[in-house]
Amino acid sequence: KAFININPPIVTSRKSNKVSTFIGNYHVHKTQQSMVPSLIVFDLDNTLWEPELYKLRKLERAKIQPIAGKDVTLFPAVTSIIESVRSSPKSWSNTKFAVASRTKSVEWAHDLLIQFGLEDFFDYVEIFPGDKKTHFQNLREKSSIPFQEMLFFDDNRDGRFGNCVPVSQMGVLSVHCPRGIHSEDVWSTGLARYKEWSTHRTPNTIVEMDGSMTVASQSSQSERFEGIVKNVNYEKRYGFISYGNRKNQDMFFHFSSLPNAYSDVSKGDKFSFKINRDSKKGKDAATDIQVMSSLDPSQRNNINTVNMRVFSMNLPFAALLANEYKTLETRNGTMFVPFPEGTKMLLHVGQRIYPDGNRHLDVMRSGGLSDEAIAQLKLLPKGFGKGMAVAIVEIGKTYETNLEERCNPDFQRKVAAFGDDSGMRVTEIKRVAYLKRGIKVSGSGGVFKCDIDQDAIPDGWL
């Protein structure tokens, strides 16, 4: 059996019915042409170009179209690969090219393909948010090419935003390139692995970032587990999760599998996760991790304290939230983004008075409240004050808004602030209740953690 050198630069000559083909330095005879993909499909964001379009929020808010080569750039290897394909059309006459992208910036993506001069390079273009499998079903219908004759490049392997795993389930050989097609080796390796794979065409096969091929486990792709963080190594950025009733080892996880804005992982956190095979180490690892809560309810009866997440607000807004007037909290930062709807946190009162020039009074008066009623809403009960955790809160959805939405009078009253003074990210407050007593807590920025007496939590919240 001949082996393929996957590292040399690409020498592009295209296959035809009469001549041989060169892929890299590997010579493909006409008897081997079935081992060359009939359709090669590319993701866009972080695969062909960077950055991912959703990161261009400033342009989106300003309603400015991104400029190719300035705001968005192709990976250098992509440019050379496309040029080499175009320079030898006969050699690639039996291969079609396609785009499959889930970006929400559909118009931007189409426009950038035109700006980059790629609109005529791709035979099929599928750009719309949703399920990547739908893209490939459309590609099969439009091209009449079987999934087993397709090769797919994508930067996301598995989990909530993963594409390689679900597409590989359809029978497509998927190439995981987390750094995008940053090197021609990514391209030549994918073609070489396709040649090897085409002799058996095993479903669920993925070309990993190190060039190896793995077959994804069906159970790991769909089944979710719940467990408690047992140990954390902050220096090396990994930990272990204790889960299930089975006599198995604790599950390894790396910080890279945590939600993007989540950085305060600690022992006792409750996670929901999937399990996938780490191709480099040959071991299972937790992926697509979702933060659920701070402590497993089954363990709470064994201790007198509970470890909870805390966020801090200054008066008068902390009181307005605790007294159930303020039902929306707005921030420009991503503090609440990692936490799913239903997460419970403690409300801590900061040491300062927020300096809004009493503009909140005008907002509250606009709803018909008297000054006496407003004064009562701005008070904390006796025994509750600055520097204390005073209430427990269950948050709802977190989402982004525009200025027009924030200037809606009803919205402003729920925030207790004018639209111009509010942050772009909104977090719903589903419910709130005062603790049975105020608890002294040292404040900190963002969402932090503390241990408090369990008997201070109101009934029905744990």
Side-chain angles (χ1 to χ4, degrees):
K1 179 179 178 180
F3 289 91
I4 301 173
N5 180 356
I6 64 173
N7 293 313
I10 299 173
V11 180
T12 352
S13 94
R14 298 272 316 255
K15 64 182 171 57
S16 70
N17 293 328
K18 297 181 180 180
V19 298
S20 300
T21 305
F22 287 85
I23 299 176
N25 287 343
Y26 184 76
H27 189 250
V28 181
H29 295 284
K30 55 186 177 182
T31 56
Q32 298 174 311
Q33 288 176 3
S34 61
M35 298 180 182
V36 178
S38 298
L39 180 64
I40 300 178
V41 186
F42 301 93
D43 177 45
L44 290 177
D45 285 359
N46 203 39
T47 299
L48 290 187
W49 62 44
E50 60 179 348
E52 297 176 272
L53 298 186
Y54 81 89
K55 294 181 178 180
L56 302 176
R57 298 186 182 93
K58 290 184 178 180
L59 295 181
E60 184 179 7
R61 289 195 292 270
K63 297 182 179 180
I64 298 175
Q65 200 81 5
I67 299 174
K70 177 184 176 183
D71 304 307
V72 180
T73 57
L74 294 175
F75 288 103
V78 171
T79 301
S80 61
I81 289 166
I82 290 175
E83 288 177 353
S84 67
V85 172
R86 280 176 162 164
S87 66
S88 50
K90 290 183 180 180
S91 300
W92 292 95
S93 60
N94 292 336
T95 298
K96 302 290 186 181
F97 294 88
V99 162
S101 172
R102 294 167 55 186
T103 181
K104 294 181 179 179
S105 305
V106 178
E107 293 184 6
W108 280 8
H110 280 286
D111 183 69
L112 285 166
L113 287 176
I114 294 173
Q115 290 189 53
F116 282 121
L118 299 178
E119 73 278 10
D120 61 345
F121 178 81
F122 293 106
D123 300 279
Y124 310 101
V125 175
E126 296 289 320
I127 304 176
F128 55 84
D131 188 351
K132 188 77 79 168
K133 287 185 174 182
T134 304
H135 293 151
F136 275 82
Q137 289 167 353
N138 292 345
L139 290 173
R140 182 178 62 177
E141 292 176 6
K142 293 176 180 179
S143 68
S144 299
I145 295 172
F147 292 135
Q148 293 78 9
E149 296 180 18
M150 298 182 186
L151 180 64
F152 174 48
F153 292 85
D154 196 286
D155 64 304
N156 285 319
R157 187 184 189 279
D158 50 45
R160 181 181 176 186
F161 300 106
N163 296 317
C164 292
V165 167
V167 171
S168 71
Q169 293 173 348
M170 306 174 79
V172 178
L173 180 62
S174 299
V175 181
H176 180 217
C177 44
R179 296 169 57 196
I181 304 179
H182 67 282
S183 164
E184 292 185 8
D185 287 348
V186 176
W187 166 254
S188 58
T189 298
L191 293 173
R193 292 294 175 259
Y194 180 89
K195 188 265 180 183
E196 297 175 15
W197 175 79
S198 63
T199 61
H200 54 81
R201 302 185 190 274
T202 303
N204 304 304
T205 301
I206 296 174
V207 180
E208 305 292 356
M209 60 182 294
D210 62 356
S212 64
M213 283 195 292
T214 60
V215 179
S217 167
Q218 288 285 349
S219 60
S220 68
Q221 296 165 6
S222 58
E223 186 176 2
R224 295 198 69 87
F225 302 87
E226 294 181 5
I228 305 300
V229 176
K230 186 175 181 179
N231 293 301
V232 181
N233 187 320
Y234 293 99
E235 182 178 355
K236 296 185 177 179
R237 294 175 56 79
Y238 70 83
F240 290 91
I241 305 169
S242 175
Y243 74 104
N245 296 318
R246 297 170 295 173
K247 294 181 180 180
N248 54 0
Q249 294 182 343
D250 297 331
M251 185 54 58
F252 171 87
F253 73 94
H254 192 270
F255 282 20
S256 61
S257 294
L258 296 171
N260 288 338
Y262 181 72
S263 60
D264 63 341
V265 60
S266 64
K267 184 177 178 180
D269 284 359
K270 185 175 182 180
F271 286 167
S272 168
F273 59 95
K274 294 181 181 180
I275 298 175
N276 276 295
R277 194 74 172 171
D278 187 325
S279 61
K280 287 188 174 181
K281 298 182 179 180
K283 297 180 180 180
D284 288 337
T287 60
D288 189 20
I289 296 174
Q290 297 177 7
V291 181
M292 297 183 68
S293 62
S294 302
L295 197 63
D296 182 10
S298 66
Q299 298 178 3
R300 288 187 178 125
N301 294 330
N302 300 326
I303 58 176
N304 296 319
T305 61
V306 58
N307 182 262
M308 294 201 66
R309 305 187 191 285
V310 190
F311 70 97
S312 187
M313 294 178 64
N314 289 314
L315 293 172
F317 298 102
L320 294 177
L321 192 154
N323 289 325
E324 302 182 72
Y325 174 83
K326 180 179 171 65
T327 57
L328 295 178
E329 169 63 354
T330 68
R331 307 261 171 156
N332 283 319
T334 59
M335 186 173 81
F336 293 108
V337 170
F339 303 101
E341 183 177 0
T343 299
K344 300 178 182 67
M345 300 182 181
L346 298 181
L347 170 63
H348 173 266
V349 181
Q351 297 290 347
R352 299 189 304 119
I353 301 294
Y354 189 82
D356 77 328
N358 285 328
R359 285 164 59 84
H360 64 279
L361 296 178
D362 294 331
V363 174
M364 298 176 73
R365 287 168 182 155
S366 71
L369 287 175
S370 65
D371 287 350
E372 182 179 352
I374 294 172
Q376 290 297 314
L377 289 171
K378 292 170 61 175
L379 292 176
L380 294 171
K382 185 177 180 180
F384 295 78
K386 296 178 180 178
M388 289 184 172
V390 300
I392 184 169
V393 174
E394 180 180 344
I395 65 171
K397 298 177 181 178
T398 296
Y399 53 92
E400 293 188 6
T401 60
N402 56 43
L403 182 59
E404 183 179 356
E405 292 169 330
R406 296 194 295 275
C407 289
N408 177 282
D410 289 335
F411 183 97
Q412 292 179 146
R413 284 189 283 271
K414 291 177 181 179
V415 179
F418 288 107
D420 289 340
D421 300 329
S422 301
M424 63 177 288
R425 292 183 179 86
V426 178
T427 300
E428 300 170 345
I429 307 299
K430 294 184 68 174
R431 58 176 178 144
V432 60
Y434 275 103
L435 300 179
K436 293 181 179 180
R437 62 181 183 276
I439 304 292
K440 280 285 186 181
V441 173
S442 297
S444 182
V447 176
F448 57 99
K449 290 188 173 183
C450 74
D451 293 318
I452 69 165
D453 293 339
Q454 183 174 327
D455 61 7
I457 304 295
D459 297 339
W461 280 81
L462 294 180

